[in-house]
């Protein structure tokens, strides 16, 4: 019996099996590099937005930010949360509002508590009594709101105050002042002058030429 073998057509080429690791490694490197670039851009963008919101925004739009240091308003406002307050006419202060104001005793520090009683005098003087939501008793004072403007809490940003407090520590502050610009400049230089990787492409072309 004579066996008949089928020959490939002239000029036809058989596909060679892929070399293990040759196709996945470059893809993984590109994915990792792209992820690192976008992560860096995202961090820079978040830092810029946070700086604009906390440092520039109050001057441009008139709101104020402050970090809650105690748990007197928990669970509405926890320690480390940042509150955003907006100006409000003193005459418009009513019960139930959460306001930030200077207490009339001791060091006259600013507190952020809820108004539980308000008195509008005929001469326009507004006197309030407040209490922290987590406290069992009202604050041991009544406060006369000075000026024409009070500040009402409009929003709470959780945990951001913890980050701000950490950033104010001396060694982190120095690191941000001197290290962050250096890292940013280095990243920009690498982005501009980074050479294009051609090793894998050249090797693939050599393999095709040999086949």
């Amino acid at each position: 019996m004579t066996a008949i073998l089928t020959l490939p057509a002239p000029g036809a080429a058989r596909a060679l099996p892929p070399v293990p690791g040759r196709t996945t490694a470059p893809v993984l490197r590109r994915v990792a590099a792209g992820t690192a670039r976008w992560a860096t851009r995202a961090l820079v963008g978040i830092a810029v937005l946070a700086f604009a919101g906390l440092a520039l925004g109050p001057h441009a739009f008139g709101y104020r930010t402050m970090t809650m240091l105690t748990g007197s308003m928990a669970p509405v406002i926890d320690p480390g949360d940042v509150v955003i307050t907006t100006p409000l006419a003193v005459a418009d202060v009513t019960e139930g509002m959460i306001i930030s104001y200077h207490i009339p005793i001791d060091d006259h520090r600013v507190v952020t508590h809820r108004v539980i009683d308000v008195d509008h005098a005929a001469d326009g003087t507004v006197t309030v009594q407040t209490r922290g939501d987590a406290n069992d008793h009202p604050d041991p004072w009544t406060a006369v709101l000075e000026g024409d403007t009070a500040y009402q809490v409009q929003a709470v940003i959780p945990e951001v105050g913890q980050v701000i407090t950490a950033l104010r520590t001396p060694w982190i502050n120095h690191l941000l002042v001197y290290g962050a610009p250096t890292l940013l400049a280095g990243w920009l230089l690498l982005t501009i002058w980074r050479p294009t990787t051609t090793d894998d492409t050249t090797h693939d072309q050599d393999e095709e030429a040999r086949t």
Side-chain angles (χ1 to χ4, degrees):
M1 174 180 283
T2 302
I4 299 176
L5 299 177
T6 304
L7 296 177
R14 291 178 298 172
L16 296 177
V19 178
R22 285 292 314 281
T23 57
T24 57
V27 173
L28 292 177
R29 283 198 297 268
R30 288 195 295 270
V31 170
T35 302
R37 285 196 300 271
W38 281 108
T40 303
R41 292 171 184 172
L43 290 175
V44 173
I46 292 172
V48 170
L49 290 176
F51 175 76
L54 297 175
L56 301 180
H59 298 284
F61 302 104
Y63 64 82
R64 294 183 177 181
T65 61
M66 61 178 294
T67 301
M68 195 70 178
L69 301 179
T70 69
S72 62
M73 283 298 295
V76 177
I77 309 173
D78 293 319
D81 292 350
V82 167
V83 296
I84 298 177
T85 61
T86 56
L88 173 74
V90 170
D92 293 335
V93 174
T94 58
E95 294 182 17
M97 288 182 175
I98 302 176
I99 64 172
S100 297
Y101 68 99
H102 291 275
I103 66 173
I105 62 174
D106 298 334
D107 56 357
H108 300 280
R109 68 186 182 277
V110 176
V111 299
T112 301
H113 280 175
R114 191 180 300 276
V115 177
I116 60 173
D117 185 58
V118 58
D119 177 66
H120 296 269
D123 61 357
T125 302
V126 178
T127 304
V128 297
Q129 188 170 25
T130 58
R131 179 174 67 86
D133 288 358
N135 296 339
D136 296 329
H137 303 286
D139 296 324
W141 60 75
T142 56
V144 176
L145 300 180
E146 299 179 355
D148 299 326
T149 303
Y151 282 85
Q152 181 185 8
V153 174
Q154 297 289 353
V156 179
I157 307 177
E159 301 297 334
V160 174
Q162 302 283 9
V163 178
I164 296 174
T165 302
L167 293 177
R168 288 176 178 171
T169 57
W171 70 273
I172 294 183
N173 190 17
H174 283 80
L175 181 63
L176 290 175
V177 170
Y178 300 106
T182 302
L183 290 176
L184 180 59
W187 175 71
L188 291 174
L189 290 175
L190 288 176
T191 302
I192 295 172
W193 290 321
R194 182 179 54 196
T196 303
T197 303
T198 57
D199 294 342
D200 294 329
T201 304
T202 304
H203 188 77
D204 292 339
Q205 291 174 350
D206 292 342
E207 290 290 341
E208 292 176 0
R210 284 198 292 270
T211 57

